Amino acid sequence: MIEEFILFAVLGVLSGLIAGMFGVGGGIIIVPVLVASFMGYGFDESIIIHLAIGTSLACIFFTGLSSANAHRKKQAIDFTLFKQVALGITLGALLGAMFAVQLDGNLLKIIIGVFALIMAVQIGFNFTLSLKNNLSKGPYIVGTGIGFLSSVLGIGGGIFSVPYFKSSGLSMTSSVGTSAACGIPIAFFGALGYFILGISNDSLPSLTLGYIYLPALFGITITSIISAQYGASIAHYISEYILKILMVSLMLLISIYMIVL
């Protein structure tokens, strides 16, 4: 039990730093590590990926609060755009959870890898969309899509929202900060969906609330809340170019892990 808590605590430190630096919620690391852990614990294979995603979203909610607050103090959140996107996120996250429980776990794993690769290419080569003239109506639709995909994949949505905010005219630092804020409604409503949908599943192990594994939630949350603040500070002390290179590298590593391994 102690080894299990140490594992989740270390995972929390890493996910918190990543959440603060890149505004991606940390789920990109949490989900694959939890999948490996749950397999080692001998959990039913039919529920492992969904349990990992639901737990990841629950963790991201608390990490996101810490990360977003740190970015808020540095005035790096565009609250006007955030409010518009958040409306769509609420609906999309709930729908995403309903959709994800119907998908095979291996398919979800590949989808995460493919999108990570797309985002690496998009950010690395500055492929942007001309969205500045459509901000009055675009954010609602985009928010629904971001919420849906993030809930399906168990992530904070940064691989989708950071490029969107960047192409909408925000600086890289503000894009990360606003993305971190968006991770809060994504995680809350996504986790709520996995909680409700998993209540009646008899294959779940003990110490779960729906598709949320409580030991992992507590272990990861305790350390990620602290480390997320340091991650946000790091993001404001390094150049946008370095931040961009680091994020592209992270996306490529995730893509290789999810698709190949």
Side-chain angles (χ1 to χ4, degrees):
M1 190 69 178
I2 295 178
E3 293 180 355
E4 182 179 7
F5 181 80
I6 292 175
L7 170 64
F8 294 141
V10 172
L11 178 57
V13 171
L14 295 175
S15 63
L17 287 173
I18 289 174
M21 288 181 63
F22 305 123
V24 296
I28 286 177
I29 283 185
I30 294 175
V31 171
V33 174
L34 286 182
V35 168
S37 299
F38 295 161
M39 290 179 66
Y41 298 155
F43 291 173
D44 189 323
E45 291 188 4
S46 66
I47 55 89
I48 283 179
I49 186 64
H50 302 102
L51 186 62
I53 292 175
T55 303
S56 173
L57 288 169
C59 294
I60 290 170
F61 173 72
F62 295 101
T63 306
L65 287 174
S66 177
S67 176
N69 184 56
H71 285 289
R72 178 190 63 81
K73 291 179 179 179
K74 297 180 181 297
Q75 299 182 333
I77 299 177
D78 187 317
F79 284 100
T80 299
L81 190 54
F82 163 73
K83 291 176 182 178
Q84 295 174 346
V85 173
L87 290 176
I89 282 174
T90 299
L91 174 62
L94 288 170
L95 292 176
M98 296 174 62
F99 178 73
V101 296
Q102 310 298 324
L103 296 180
D104 176 74
N106 290 327
L107 177 59
L108 285 175
K109 187 170 179 285
I110 293 174
I111 291 175
I112 294 175
V114 170
F115 273 110
L117 178 60
I118 292 174
M119 291 304 103
V121 173
Q122 196 272 346
I123 297 172
F125 292 94
N126 290 318
F127 292 151
T128 59
L129 300 174
S130 180
L131 301 170
K132 294 182 180 180
N133 296 326
N134 297 309
L135 292 181
S136 60
K137 57 182 179 181
Y140 304 104
I141 299 174
V142 171
T144 300
I146 290 174
F148 179 86
L149 291 172
S150 300
S151 185
V152 169
L153 304 175
I155 59 178
I159 60 174
F160 307 118
S161 56
V162 170
Y164 170 71
F165 291 135
K166 189 73 171 65
S167 66
S168 297
L170 300 185
S171 67
M172 187 62 181
T173 302
S174 293
S175 296
V176 169
T178 308
S179 173
C182 288
I184 297 173
I186 287 173
F188 179 82
F189 290 102
L192 178 62
Y194 281 95
F195 162 67
I196 295 173
L197 294 168
I199 290 178
S200 61
N201 193 320
D202 296 330
S203 299
L204 289 169
S206 59
L207 299 177
T208 59
L209 288 176
Y211 287 114
I212 299 174
Y213 187 55
L214 296 180
L217 172 61
F218 292 137
I220 294 171
T221 298
I222 290 172
T223 53
S224 65
I225 288 177
I226 299 173
S227 61
Q229 299 181 46
Y230 288 99
S233 297
I234 293 173
H236 288 270
Y237 280 105
I238 61 179
S239 68
E240 289 196 10
Y241 176 76
I242 297 298
L243 192 62
K244 173 181 169 182
I245 294 300
L246 290 174
M247 190 168 186
V248 169
S249 299
L250 177 64
M251 294 298 107
L252 288 175
L253 288 174
I254 291 164
S255 177
I256 293 172
Y257 176 80
M258 288 296 184
I259 297 175
V260 179
L261 301 181

